[in-house]
Amino acid sequence: MADERLDAEWLRAWCEQADAALAKLMESFEARYGFEPGSNVIVPASEVSRHATDSLVDLTPIPSDLTTMYWVIDEVSLPDVENGYFVHPASLVADHFREYGAVRIDGEEPGLVFASDGGGCLFALAGSGRIWRSTTASWFDQFDLSAGSLQEFFEGLSRQINDQL
């Protein structure tokens, strides 16, 4: 699956389905968990975020799937799904790249960190299209394979949301 590129229309459909599932989850969240949920949102791309994506592309060659993703989605914030998942906006990815550079993954092209979880572990997309997750909350420790593609990563987020319904 890593050879297939992320399709923008597939991602738009994912956003609609995930938004509907999140709305359903938020309706019963407080009664189910005993506290008010945070802001769980999928923020669509805007002219400002697309400009930030262009700036990120100028800064470093990024995998094409990440460019596709940022032309559809600005960011994803799911603090109440599992232990939390966050797809960072392109501007933050650029800031982190300037500060930390790309992450080194054995046997892979360097990866670009684009997301994190509520425990501080990082998700990086390598040139192969595969997603790697840090084993600790560090840019410099080991990264293990998390998903075969960005589409698989988003499908996993959908499963996490739906498992809580």
Side-chain angles (χ1 to χ4, degrees):
M1 187 134 160
D3 291 337
E4 296 178 23
R5 294 292 125 204
L6 183 65
D7 180 70
E9 288 308 312
W10 179 89
L11 189 56
R12 284 183 188 91
W14 177 88
C15 290
E16 289 177 20
Q17 292 167 351
D19 272 338
L22 280 171
K24 193 174 191 181
L25 176 61
M26 293 305 109
E27 285 174 3
S28 62
F29 189 89
E30 189 169 0
R32 190 183 245 173
Y33 296 102
F35 61 93
E36 198 171 304
S39 179
N40 292 270
V41 296
I42 300 166
V43 180
S46 65
E47 286 306 312
V48 171
S49 68
R50 289 184 181 125
H51 178 70
T53 301
D54 291 342
S55 296
L56 179 61
V57 169
D58 290 344
L59 180 64
T60 180
I62 68 172
S64 64
D65 283 357
L66 210 53
T67 304
T68 300
M69 182 194 77
Y70 281 128
W71 276 92
V72 175
I73 297 172
D74 178 25
E75 69 178 297
V76 177
S77 179
L78 304 174
D80 298 308
V81 174
E82 189 73 15
N83 73 332
Y85 291 96
F86 307 93
V87 174
H88 307 155
S91 58
L92 182 59
V93 172
D95 289 346
H96 286 160
F97 180 80
R98 284 184 198 97
E99 188 169 346
Y100 303 109
V103 295
R104 304 290 175 224
I105 301 165
D106 289 339
E108 266 286 5
E109 297 175 33
L112 190 61
V113 171
F114 72 97
S116 60
D117 66 19
C121 290
L122 307 170
F123 293 93
L125 179 63
S128 67
R130 296 188 295 180
I131 309 298
W132 298 83
R133 182 180 179 268
S134 65
T135 57
T136 64
S138 172
W139 290 76
F140 307 106
D141 279 343
Q142 180 178 332
F143 279 73
D144 291 337
L145 186 62
S146 176
S149 67
L150 202 49
Q151 181 173 328
E152 190 178 306
F153 175 81
F154 281 107
E155 288 168 345
L157 289 180
S158 287
R159 279 191 301 280
Q160 297 292 341
I161 295 166
N162 289 325
D163 285 351
Q164 285 184 242
L165 292 177

mmCIF file with all atom_site columns, all heavy atoms in Angstrom, residues 22 25-40 78-82 164:
data_model
loop_
_atom_site.group_PDB
_atom_site.id
_atom_site.type_symbol
_atom_site.label_atom_id
_atom_site.label_alt_id
_atom_site.label_comp_id
_atom_site.label_asym_id
_atom_site.label_entity_id
_atom_site.label_seq_id
_atom_site.pdbx_PDB_ins_code
_atom_site.Cartn_x
_atom_site.Cartn_y
_atom_site.Cartn_z
_atom_site.occupancy
_atom_site.B_iso_or_equiv
_atom_site.pdbx_formal_charge
_atom_site.auth_seq_id
_atom_site.auth_comp_id
_atom_site.auth_asym_id
_atom_site.auth_atom_id
_atom_site.pdbx_PDB_model_num
ATOM 1   N N   . LEU A 1 22  ? -17.238 11.877 15.153 1.00 0.00 ? 22  LEU A N   1
ATOM 2   C CA  . LEU A 1 22  ? -16.851 12.721 16.289 1.00 0.00 ? 22  LEU A CA  1
ATOM 3   C C   . LEU A 1 22  ? -18.069 13.416 16.901 1.00 0.00 ? 22  LEU A C   1
ATOM 4   O O   . LEU A 1 22  ? -18.177 13.511 18.127 1.00 0.00 ? 22  LEU A O   1
ATOM 5   C CB  . LEU A 1 22  ? -15.820 13.767 15.865 1.00 0.00 ? 22  LEU A CB  1
ATOM 6   C CG  . LEU A 1 22  ? -14.385 13.305 15.762 1.00 0.00 ? 22  LEU A CG  1
ATOM 7   C CD1 . LEU A 1 22  ? -13.522 14.393 15.130 1.00 0.00 ? 22  LEU A CD1 1
ATOM 8   C CD2 . LEU A 1 22  ? -13.838 12.904 17.121 1.00 0.00 ? 22  LEU A CD2 1
ATOM 9   N N   . LEU A 1 25  ? -19.821 10.917 18.962 1.00 0.00 ? 25  LEU A N   1
ATOM 10  C CA  . LEU A 1 25  ? -19.043 10.647 20.174 1.00 0.00 ? 25  LEU A CA  1
ATOM 11  C C   . LEU A 1 25  ? -19.185 11.785 21.182 1.00 0.00 ? 25  LEU A C   1
ATOM 12  O O   . LEU A 1 25  ? -19.369 11.549 22.378 1.00 0.00 ? 25  LEU A O   1
ATOM 13  C CB  . LEU A 1 25  ? -17.564 10.432 19.818 1.00 0.00 ? 25  LEU A CB  1
ATOM 14  C CG  . LEU A 1 25  ? -16.595 10.236 20.982 1.00 0.00 ? 25  LEU A CG  1
ATOM 15  C CD1 . LEU A 1 25  ? -16.952 8.992  21.799 1.00 0.00 ? 25  LEU A CD1 1
ATOM 16  C CD2 . LEU A 1 25  ? -15.159 10.143 20.450 1.00 0.00 ? 25  LEU A CD2 1
ATOM 17  N N   . MET A 1 26  ? -19.138 13.023 20.730 1.00 0.00 ? 26  MET A N   1
ATOM 18  C CA  . MET A 1 26  ? -19.199 14.166 21.635 1.00 0.00 ? 26  MET A CA  1
ATOM 19  C C   . MET A 1 26  ? -20.577 14.306 22.284 1.00 0.00 ? 26  MET A C   1
ATOM 20  O O   . MET A 1 26  ? -20.687 14.789 23.404 1.00 0.00 ? 26  MET A O   1
ATOM 21  C CB  . MET A 1 26  ? -18.823 15.461 20.905 1.00 0.00 ? 26  MET A CB  1
ATOM 22  C CG  . MET A 1 26  ? -17.358 15.510 20.455 1.00 0.00 ? 26  MET A CG  1
ATOM 23  S SD  . MET A 1 26  ? -16.159 15.248 21.779 1.00 0.00 ? 26  MET A SD  1
ATOM 24  C CE  . MET A 1 26  ? -15.516 13.638 21.384 1.00 0.00 ? 26  MET A CE  1
ATOM 25  N N   . GLU A 1 27  ? -21.641 13.858 21.583 1.00 0.00 ? 27  GLU A N   1
ATOM 26  C CA  . GLU A 1 27  ? -22.995 13.932 22.144 1.00 0.00 ? 27  GLU A CA  1
ATOM 27  C C   . GLU A 1 27  ? -23.109 13.164 23.461 1.00 0.00 ? 27  GLU A C   1
ATOM 28  O O   . GLU A 1 27  ? -23.807 13.588 24.376 1.00 0.00 ? 27  GLU A O   1
ATOM 29  C CB  . GLU A 1 27  ? -24.011 13.356 21.158 1.00 0.00 ? 27  GLU A CB  1
ATOM 30  C CG  . GLU A 1 27  ? -24.321 14.237 19.993 1.00 0.00 ? 27  GLU A CG  1
ATOM 31  C CD  . GLU A 1 27  ? -25.224 13.547 18.972 1.00 0.00 ? 27  GLU A CD  1
ATOM 32  O OE1 . GLU A 1 27  ? -25.655 12.390 19.190 1.00 0.00 ? 27  GLU A OE1 1
ATOM 33  O OE2 . GLU A 1 27  ? -25.495 14.178 17.939 1.00 0.00 ? 27  GLU A OE2 1
ATOM 34  N N   . SER A 1 28  ? -22.438 12.039 23.549 1.00 0.00 ? 28  SER A N   1
ATOM 35  C CA  . SER A 1 28  ? -22.569 11.186 24.736 1.00 0.00 ? 28  SER A CA  1
ATOM 36  C C   . SER A 1 28  ? -21.296 11.156 25.588 1.00 0.00 ? 28  SER A C   1
ATOM 37  O O   . SER A 1 28  ? -21.230 10.420 26.565 1.00 0.00 ? 28  SER A O   1
ATOM 38  C CB  . SER A 1 28  ? -22.912 9.759  24.299 1.00 0.00 ? 28  SER A CB  1
ATOM 39  O OG  . SER A 1 28  ? -21.860 9.223  23.512 1.00 0.00 ? 28  SER A OG  1
ATOM 40  N N   . PHE A 1 29  ? -20.329 11.960 25.226 1.00 0.00 ? 29  PHE A N   1
ATOM 41  C CA  . PHE A 1 29  ? -19.024 11.870 25.878 1.00 0.00 ? 29  PHE A CA  1
ATOM 42  C C   . PHE A 1 29  ? -19.092 12.132 27.387 1.00 0.00 ? 29  PHE A C   1
ATOM 43  O O   . PHE A 1 29  ? -18.608 11.335 28.188 1.00 0.00 ? 29  PHE A O   1
ATOM 44  C CB  . PHE A 1 29  ? -18.021 12.837 25.229 1.00 0.00 ? 29  PHE A CB  1
ATOM 45  C CG  . PHE A 1 29  ? -16.618 12.638 25.714 1.00 0.00 ? 29  PHE A CG  1
ATOM 46  C CD1 . PHE A 1 29  ? -15.787 11.753 25.070 1.00 0.00 ? 29  PHE A CD1 1
ATOM 47  C CD2 . PHE A 1 29  ? -16.128 13.322 26.822 1.00 0.00 ? 29  PHE A CD2 1
ATOM 48  C CE1 . PHE A 1 29  ? -14.492 11.549 25.508 1.00 0.00 ? 29  PHE A CE1 1
ATOM 49  C CE2 . PHE A 1 29  ? -14.843 13.123 27.271 1.00 0.00 ? 29  PHE A CE2 1
ATOM 50  C CZ  . PHE A 1 29  ? -14.015 12.229 26.605 1.00 0.00 ? 29  PHE A CZ  1
ATOM 51  N N   . GLU A 1 30  ? -19.684 13.259 27.779 1.00 0.00 ? 30  GLU A N   1
ATOM 52  C CA  . GLU A 1 30  ? -19.703 13.630 29.196 1.00 0.00 ? 30  GLU A CA  1
ATOM 53  C C   . GLU A 1 30  ? -20.471 12.603 30.031 1.00 0.00 ? 30  GLU A C   1
ATOM 54  O O   . GLU A 1 30  ? -20.005 12.214 31.110 1.00 0.00 ? 30  GLU A O   1
ATOM 55  C CB  . GLU A 1 30  ? -20.295 15.021 29.391 1.00 0.00 ? 30  GLU A CB  1
ATOM 56  C CG  . GLU A 1 30  ? -20.127 15.528 30.814 1.00 0.00 ? 30  GLU A CG  1
ATOM 57  C CD  . GLU A 1 30  ? -20.470 17.004 30.958 1.00 0.00 ? 30  GLU A CD  1
ATOM 58  O OE1 . GLU A 1 30  ? -20.849 17.652 29.966 1.00 0.00 ? 30  GLU A OE1 1
ATOM 59  O OE2 . GLU A 1 30  ? -20.351 17.506 32.090 1.00 0.00 ? 30  GLU A OE2 1
ATOM 60  N N   . ALA A 1 31  ? -21.608 12.142 29.538 1.00 0.00 ? 31  ALA A N   1
ATOM 61  C CA  . ALA A 1 31  ? -22.379 11.130 30.276 1.00 0.00 ? 31  ALA A CA  1
ATOM 62  C C   . ALA A 1 31  ? -21.598 9.821  30.395 1.00 0.00 ? 31  ALA A C   1
ATOM 63  O O   . ALA A 1 31  ? -21.651 9.149  31.420 1.00 0.00 ? 31  ALA A O   1
ATOM 64  C CB  . ALA A 1 31  ? -23.709 10.876 29.572 1.00 0.00 ? 31  ALA A CB  1
ATOM 65  N N   . ARG A 1 32  ? -20.850 9.516  29.381 1.00 0.00 ? 32  ARG A N   1
ATOM 66  C CA  . ARG A 1 32  ? -20.116 8.254  29.342 1.00 0.00 ? 32  ARG A CA  1
ATOM 67  C C   . ARG A 1 32  ? -18.837 8.287  30.177 1.00 0.00 ? 32  ARG A C   1
ATOM 68  O O   . ARG A 1 32  ? -18.499 7.322  30.851 1.00 0.00 ? 32  ARG A O   1
ATOM 69  C CB  . ARG A 1 32  ? -19.783 7.946  27.888 1.00 0.00 ? 32  ARG A CB  1
ATOM 70  C CG  . ARG A 1 32  ? -19.231 6.587  27.645 1.00 0.00 ? 32  ARG A CG  1
ATOM 71  C CD  . ARG A 1 32  ? -18.893 6.481  26.180 1.00 0.00 ? 32  ARG A CD  1
ATOM 72  N NE  . ARG A 1 32  ? -19.741 5.483  25.580 1.00 0.00 ? 32  ARG A NE  1
ATOM 73  C CZ  . ARG A 1 32  ? -19.775 5.257  24.304 1.00 0.00 ? 32  ARG A CZ  1
ATOM 74  N NH1 . ARG A 1 32  ? -19.066 5.984  23.489 1.00 0.00 ? 32  ARG A NH1 1
ATOM 75  N NH2 . ARG A 1 32  ? -20.526 4.299  23.830 1.00 0.00 ? 32  ARG A NH2 1
ATOM 76  N N   . TYR A 1 33  ? -18.118 9.403  30.124 1.00 0.00 ? 33  TYR A N   1
ATOM 77  C CA  . TYR A 1 33  ? -16.800 9.478  30.762 1.00 0.00 ? 33  TYR A CA  1
ATOM 78  C C   . TYR A 1 33  ? -16.763 10.335 32.025 1.00 0.00 ? 33  TYR A C   1
ATOM 79  O O   . TYR A 1 33  ? -15.753 10.358 32.725 1.00 0.00 ? 33  TYR A O   1
ATOM 80  C CB  . TYR A 1 33  ? -15.752 9.969  29.756 1.00 0.00 ? 33  TYR A CB  1
ATOM 81  C CG  . TYR A 1 33  ? -15.557 8.994  28.617 1.00 0.00 ? 33  TYR A CG  1
ATOM 82  C CD1 . TYR A 1 33  ? -16.129 9.224  27.383 1.00 0.00 ? 33  TYR A CD1 1
ATOM 83  C CD2 . TYR A 1 33  ? -14.811 7.831  28.792 1.00 0.00 ? 33  TYR A CD2 1
ATOM 84  C CE1 . TYR A 1 33  ? -15.960 8.326  26.328 1.00 0.00 ? 33  TYR A CE1 1
ATOM 85  C CE2 . TYR A 1 33  ? -14.637 6.930  27.755 1.00 0.00 ? 33  TYR A CE2 1
ATOM 86  C CZ  . TYR A 1 33  ? -15.221 7.185  26.532 1.00 0.00 ? 33  TYR A CZ  1
ATOM 87  O OH  . TYR A 1 33  ? -15.048 6.286  25.513 1.00 0.00 ? 33  TYR A OH  1
ATOM 88  N N   . GLY A 1 34  ? -17.804 11.110 32.278 1.00 0.00 ? 34  GLY A N   1
ATOM 89  C CA  . GLY A 1 34  ? -17.877 11.873 33.504 1.00 0.00 ? 34  GLY A CA  1
ATOM 90  C C   . GLY A 1 34  ? -17.172 13.211 33.485 1.00 0.00 ? 34  GLY A C   1
ATOM 91  O O   . GLY A 1 34  ? -17.045 13.866 34.513 1.00 0.00 ? 34  GLY A O   1
ATOM 92  N N   . PHE A 1 35  ? -16.720 13.637 32.339 1.00 0.00 ? 35  PHE A N   1
ATOM 93  C CA  . PHE A 1 35  ? -16.116 14.968 32.223 1.00 0.00 ? 35  PHE A CA  1
ATOM 94  C C   . PHE A 1 35  ? -16.380 15.498 30.819 1.00 0.00 ? 35  PHE A C   1
ATOM 95  O O   . PHE A 1 35  ? -16.660 14.741 29.895 1.00 0.00 ? 35  PHE A O   1
ATOM 96  C CB  . PHE A 1 35  ? -14.609 14.969 32.541 1.00 0.00 ? 35  PHE A CB  1
ATOM 97  C CG  . PHE A 1 35  ? -13.778 14.098 31.632 1.00 0.00 ? 35  PHE A CG  1
ATOM 98  C CD1 . PHE A 1 35  ? -13.176 14.626 30.502 1.00 0.00 ? 35  PHE A CD1 1
ATOM 99  C CD2 . PHE A 1 35  ? -13.575 12.752 31.926 1.00 0.00 ? 35  PHE A CD2 1
ATOM 100 C CE1 . PHE A 1 35  ? -12.408 13.828 29.670 1.00 0.00 ? 35  PHE A CE1 1
ATOM 101 C CE2 . PHE A 1 35  ? -12.802 11.948 31.111 1.00 0.00 ? 35  PHE A CE2 1
ATOM 102 C CZ  . PHE A 1 35  ? -12.219 12.482 29.972 1.00 0.00 ? 35  PHE A CZ  1
ATOM 103 N N   . GLU A 1 36  ? -16.304 16.817 30.709 1.00 0.00 ? 36  GLU A N   1
ATOM 104 C CA  . GLU A 1 36  ? -16.570 17.475 29.436 1.00 0.00 ? 36  GLU A CA  1
ATOM 105 C C   . GLU A 1 36  ? -15.411 17.233 28.469 1.00 0.00 ? 36  GLU A C   1
ATOM 106 O O   . GLU A 1 36  ? -14.239 17.307 28.858 1.00 0.00 ? 36  GLU A O   1
ATOM 107 C CB  . GLU A 1 36  ? -16.723 18.977 29.693 1.00 0.00 ? 36  GLU A CB  1
ATOM 108 C CG  . GLU A 1 36  ? -17.400 19.715 28.586 1.00 0.00 ? 36  GLU A CG  1
ATOM 109 C CD  . GLU A 1 36  ? -17.712 21.148 28.979 1.00 0.00 ? 36  GLU A CD  1
ATOM 110 O OE1 . GLU A 1 36  ? -18.385 21.352 30.001 1.00 0.00 ? 36  GLU A OE1 1
ATOM 111 O OE2 . GLU A 1 36  ? -17.256 22.039 28.243 1.00 0.00 ? 36  GLU A OE2 1
ATOM 112 N N   . PRO A 1 37  ? -15.719 16.945 27.208 1.00 0.00 ? 37  PRO A N   1
ATOM 113 C CA  . PRO A 1 37  ? -14.633 16.714 26.255 1.00 0.00 ? 37  PRO A CA  1
ATOM 114 C C   . PRO A 1 37  ? -13.913 18.003 25.891 1.00 0.00 ? 37  PRO A C   1
ATOM 115 O O   . PRO A 1 37  ? -14.452 19.102 26.049 1.00 0.00 ? 37  PRO A O   1
ATOM 116 C CB  . PRO A 1 37  ? -15.359 16.142 25.037 1.00 0.00 ? 37  PRO A CB  1
ATOM 117 C CG  . PRO A 1 37  ? -16.726 16.730 25.104 1.00 0.00 ? 37  PRO A CG  1
ATOM 118 C CD  . PRO A 1 37  ? -17.035 16.833 26.582 1.00 0.00 ? 37  PRO A CD  1
ATOM 119 N N   . GLY A 1 38  ? -12.703 17.833 25.394 1.00 0.00 ? 38  GLY A N   1
ATOM 120 C CA  . GLY A 1 38  ? -11.962 18.961 24.860 1.00 0.00 ? 38  GLY A CA  1
ATOM 121 C C   . GLY A 1 38  ? -12.468 19.291 23.467 1.00 0.00 ? 38  GLY A C   1
ATOM 122 O O   . GLY A 1 38  ? -13.528 18.830 23.046 1.00 0.00 ? 38  GLY A O   1
ATOM 123 N N   . SER A 1 39  ? -11.703 20.057 22.750 1.00 0.00 ? 39  SER A N   1
ATOM 124 C CA  . SER A 1 39  ? -12.070 20.420 21.385 1.00 0.00 ? 39  SER A CA  1
ATOM 125 C C   . SER A 1 39  ? -11.512 19.364 20.435 1.00 0.00 ? 39  SER A C   1
ATOM 126 O O   . SER A 1 39  ? -10.317 19.314 20.181 1.00 0.00 ? 39  SER A O   1
ATOM 127 C CB  . SER A 1 39  ? -11.501 21.803 21.051 1.00 0.00 ? 39  SER A CB  1
ATOM 128 O OG  . SER A 1 39  ? -11.830 22.151 19.732 1.00 0.00 ? 39  SER A OG  1
ATOM 129 N N   . ASN A 1 40  ? -12.373 18.505 19.935 1.00 0.00 ? 40  ASN A N   1
ATOM 130 C CA  . ASN A 1 40  ? -12.004 17.447 19.005 1.00 0.00 ? 40  ASN A CA  1
ATOM 131 C C   . ASN A 1 40  ? -12.434 17.898 17.618 1.00 0.00 ? 40  ASN A C   1
ATOM 132 O O   . ASN A 1 40  ? -13.628 17.924 17.315 1.00 0.00 ? 40  ASN A O   1
ATOM 133 C CB  . ASN A 1 40  ? -12.700 16.141 19.392 1.00 0.00 ? 40  ASN A CB  1
ATOM 134 C CG  . ASN A 1 40  ? -12.161 15.611 20.704 1.00 0.00 ? 40  ASN A CG  1
ATOM 135 O OD1 . ASN A 1 40  ? -11.216 14.845 20.719 1.00 0.00 ? 40  ASN A OD1 1
ATOM 136 N ND2 . ASN A 1 40  ? -12.759 16.033 21.813 1.00 0.00 ? 40  ASN A ND2 1
ATOM 137 N N   . LEU A 1 78  ? -7.531  15.616 18.322 1.00 0.00 ? 78  LEU A N   1
ATOM 138 C CA  . LEU A 1 78  ? -8.429  14.620 18.911 1.00 0.00 ? 78  LEU A CA  1
ATOM 139 C C   . LEU A 1 78  ? -7.961  14.282 20.326 1.00 0.00 ? 78  LEU A C   1
ATOM 140 O O   . LEU A 1 78  ? -7.519  13.167 20.605 1.00 0.00 ? 78  LEU A O   1
ATOM 141 C CB  . LEU A 1 78  ? -8.449  13.351 18.034 1.00 0.00 ? 78  LEU A CB  1
ATOM 142 C CG  . LEU A 1 78  ? -8.816  13.539 16.567 1.00 0.00 ? 78  LEU A CG  1
ATOM 143 C CD1 . LEU A 1 78  ? -8.642  12.239 15.797 1.00 0.00 ? 78  LEU A CD1 1
ATOM 144 C CD2 . LEU A 1 78  ? -10.230 14.079 16.441 1.00 0.00 ? 78  LEU A CD2 1
ATOM 145 N N   . PRO A 1 79  ? -8.053  15.232 21.263 1.00 0.00 ? 79  PRO A N   1
ATOM 146 C CA  . PRO A 1 79  ? -7.550  14.975 22.609 1.00 0.00 ? 79  PRO A CA  1
ATOM 147 C C   . PRO A 1 79  ? -8.318  13.893 23.367 1.00 0.00 ? 79  PRO A C   1
ATOM 148 O O   . PRO A 1 79  ? -7.773  13.296 24.293 1.00 0.00 ? 79  PRO A O   1
ATOM 149 C CB  . PRO A 1 79  ? -7.680  16.334 23.307 1.00 0.00 ? 79  PRO A CB  1
ATOM 150 C CG  . PRO A 1 79  ? -8.763  17.037 22.564 1.00 0.00 ? 79  PRO A CG  1
ATOM 151 C CD  . PRO A 1 79  ? -8.626  16.578 21.140 1.00 0.00 ? 79  PRO A CD  1
ATOM 152 N N   . ASP A 1 80  ? -9.561  13.619 22.942 1.00 0.00 ? 80  ASP A N   1
ATOM 153 C CA  . ASP A 1 80  ? -10.389 12.655 23.669 1.00 0.00 ? 80  ASP A CA  1
ATOM 154 C C   . ASP A 1 80  ? -10.561 11.334 22.936 1.00 0.00 ? 80  ASP A C   1
ATOM 155 O O   . ASP A 1 80  ? -11.381 10.510 23.326 1.00 0.00 ? 80  ASP A O   1
ATOM 156 C CB  . ASP A 1 80  ? -11.761 13.269 23.968 1.00 0.00 ? 80  ASP A CB  1
ATOM 157 C CG  . ASP A 1 80  ? -11.624 14.494 24.853 1.00 0.00 ? 80  ASP A CG  1
ATOM 158 O OD1 . ASP A 1 80  ? -10.974 14.388 25.911 1.00 0.00 ? 80  ASP A OD1 1
ATOM 159 O OD2 . ASP A 1 80  ? -12.127 15.567 24.466 1.00 0.00 ? 80  ASP A OD2 1
ATOM 160 N N   . VAL A 1 81  ? -9.806  11.119 21.906 1.00 0.00 ? 81  VAL A N   1
ATOM 161 C CA  . VAL A 1 81  ? -9.827  9.842  21.197 1.00 0.00 ? 81  VAL A CA  1
ATOM 162 C C   . VAL A 1 81  ? -8.617  9.048  21.662 1.00 0.00 ? 81  VAL A C   1
ATOM 163 O O   . VAL A 1 81  ? -7.474  9.486  21.480 1.00 0.00 ? 81  VAL A O   1
ATOM 164 C CB  . VAL A 1 81  ? -9.798  10.043 19.670 1.00 0.00 ? 81  VAL A CB  1
ATOM 165 C CG1 . VAL A 1 81  ? -9.661  8.714  18.944 1.00 0.00 ? 81  VAL A CG1 1
ATOM 166 C CG2 . VAL A 1 81  ? -11.054 10.788 19.216 1.00 0.00 ? 81  VAL A CG2 1
ATOM 167 N N   . GLU A 1 82  ? -8.918  7.894  22.312 1.00 0.00 ? 82  GLU A N   1
ATOM 168 C CA  . GLU A 1 82  ? -7.859  7.074  22.916 1.00 0.00 ? 82  GLU A CA  1
ATOM 169 C C   . GLU A 1 82  ? -7.076  7.979  23.863 1.00 0.00 ? 82  GLU A C   1
ATOM 170 O O   . GLU A 1 82  ? -7.656  8.648  24.693 1.00 0.00 ? 82  GLU A O   1
ATOM 171 C CB  . GLU A 1 82  ? -7.001  6.456  21.806 1.00 0.00 ? 82  GLU A CB  1
ATOM 172 C CG  . GLU A 1 82  ? -6.024  5.429  22.247 1.00 0.00 ? 82  GLU A CG  1
ATOM 173 C CD  . GLU A 1 82  ? -6.646  4.090  22.650 1.00 0.00 ? 82  GLU A CD  1
ATOM 174 O OE1 . GLU A 1 82  ? -7.812  3.818  22.346 1.00 0.00 ? 82  GLU A OE1 1
ATOM 175 O OE2 . GLU A 1 82  ? -5.935  3.320  23.290 1.00 0.00 ? 82  GLU A OE2 1
ATOM 176 N N   . GLN A 1 164 ? -14.865 4.053  20.306 1.00 0.00 ? 164 GLN A N   1
ATOM 177 C CA  . GLN A 1 164 ? -15.362 4.745  21.497 1.00 0.00 ? 164 GLN A CA  1
ATOM 178 C C   . GLN A 1 164 ? -16.848 5.057  21.408 1.00 0.00 ? 164 GLN A C   1
ATOM 179 O O   . GLN A 1 164 ? -17.415 5.560  22.376 1.00 0.00 ? 164 GLN A O   1
ATOM 180 C CB  . GLN A 1 164 ? -14.567 6.047  21.718 1.00 0.00 ? 164 GLN A CB  1
ATOM 181 C CG  . GLN A 1 164 ? -13.183 5.788  22.259 1.00 0.00 ? 164 GLN A CG  1
ATOM 182 C CD  . GLN A 1 164 ? -12.448 7.066  22.559 1.00 0.00 ? 164 GLN A CD  1
ATOM 183 O OE1 . GLN A 1 164 ? -11.417 7.322  21.970 1.00 0.00 ? 164 GLN A OE1 1
ATOM 184 N NE2 . GLN A 1 164 ? -12.962 7.874  23.462 1.00 0.00 ? 164 GLN A NE2 1
#
